[in-house]
């Protein structure tokens, strides 16, 4: 009797075990996505964080970046305005070329700076928002209204000298602003522009000092 019934018992036990295994496997399949990474030593949040970081990275900025962009937009606009006076007033071909180079470099930077401010939810300084209203000393190397009037009325050698002297002062202000951005800013793009400004405008300051010697 024992021999005839034991095969059936074993078959029933095996069938029950197989069914249980199938149920467990099915349940395990539904929860695999969340638990398998943890079982292998990973964290589910690890896969999401790079995407989140990439989304946040382009907008990374701080108050120093905003101040840099807000200050540099009108600063560059005034430099371009000064450069626009050179073709009809300068005597020196070198001064005319320098003015053209300044305009060529700073016009695209104004567009970039304005774009960053917009993307950061900040207002772009209105066109004409320069320090022309200041009758005393302007900040950041900006020219006062009187200085701009003086430059507009000059011509020939007098214009060359006034332009170089004023643009050296203007560039000094821009370099100081750019160095502050490099030290305190958070935006990689803004800091890269600041680095380029320090390099290019420092070289132009040296060039303008040499040209000044030739006009004296």
């Amino acid at each position: 009797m024992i021999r005839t019934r034991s095969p059936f018992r074993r078959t029933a036990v095996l069938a029950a075990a197989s069914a249980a295994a199938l149920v467990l496997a099915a349940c395990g399949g539904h929860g695999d996505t969340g638990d398998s990474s943890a079982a292998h030593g990973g964290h589910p949040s690890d896969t999401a964080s790079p995407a989140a970081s990439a989304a946040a990275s382009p907008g990374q900025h701080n108050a120093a970046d905003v101040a840099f962009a807000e200050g540099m937009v009108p600063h560059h606009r005034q430099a371009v305005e000064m450069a626009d006076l050179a073709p009809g007033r300068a005597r020196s071909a070198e001064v005319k070329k320098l003015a053209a180079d300044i305009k060529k470099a700073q016009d695209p930077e104004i567009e970039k700076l304005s774009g960053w401010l917009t993307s950061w939810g900040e207002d772009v300084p209105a066109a004409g928002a320069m320090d022309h209203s200041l009758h005393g000393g302007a900040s950041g190397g900006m020219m006062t209204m009187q200085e701009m009037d003086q430059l507009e009325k000059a011509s020939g050698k007098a214009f060359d000298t006034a332009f170089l002297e004023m643009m050296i002062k203007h560039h000094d202000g821009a370099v100081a602003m750019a160095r502050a951005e490099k030290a305190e800013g958070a935006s990689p793009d803004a800091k890269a522009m600041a680095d380029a400004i320090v390099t290019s405008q420092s070289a132009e300051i040296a060039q303008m000092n040499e040209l000044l010697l030739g006009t004296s």
Side-chain angles (χ1 to χ4, degrees):
M1 295 291 292
I2 295 172
R3 289 177 184 176
T4 56
R5 281 162 46 172
S6 60
F8 292 104
R9 285 179 182 176
R10 282 196 294 271
T11 301
V13 169
L14 289 171
S18 298
L22 287 171
V23 171
L24 287 172
C27 292
H30 293 299
D32 235 8
T33 42
D35 296 338
S36 61
S37 59
H40 289 82
H43 300 282
S45 60
D46 288 348
T47 47
S49 59
S53 298
S57 178
Q60 179 185 357
H61 69 284
N62 61 13
D65 299 314
V66 174
F68 170 70
E70 287 179 338
M72 199 60 79
V73 166
H75 201 276
H76 272 16
R77 282 176 181 158
Q78 190 180 67
V80 170
E81 183 180 340
M82 294 167 68
D84 282 341
L85 298 174
R89 293 170 174 81
R91 183 179 72 176
S92 166
E94 291 162 310
V95 169
K96 289 181 180 180
K97 183 181 184 306
L98 174 66
D101 290 343
I102 289 170
K103 181 179 173 66
K104 183 179 179 181
Q106 297 195 21
D107 265 339
E109 289 180 346
I110 292 169
E111 291 183 15
K112 284 186 180 180
L113 291 159
S114 300
W116 294 338
L117 284 170
T118 301
S119 70
W120 297 337
E122 304 289 343
D123 292 332
V124 177
M130 302 181 189
D131 283 351
H132 289 189
S133 59
L134 295 178
H135 292 268
S139 62
M142 294 282 281
M143 299 299 103
T144 64
M145 184 173 65
Q146 292 92 333
E147 286 172 320
M148 290 299 293
D149 287 344
Q150 174 191 342
L151 191 62
E152 288 174 8
K153 292 172 182 175
S155 62
K157 184 178 178 180
F159 176 88
D160 294 344
T161 301
F163 177 85
L164 293 170
E165 289 176 345
M166 291 181 189
M167 194 61 80
I168 288 171
K169 177 184 173 184
H170 208 268
H171 273 26
D172 279 337
V175 169
M177 293 163 66
R179 283 181 174 152
E181 165 61 19
K182 286 178 64 178
E184 301 167 15
S187 166
D189 290 337
K191 293 178 77 169
M193 180 185 285
D195 188 57
I197 287 172
V198 170
T199 301
S200 63
Q201 296 203 19
S202 294
E204 287 175 348
I205 289 169
Q207 179 188 359
M208 287 188 285
N209 278 318
E210 288 183 8
L211 290 174
L212 263 180
L213 293 175
T215 63
S216 58

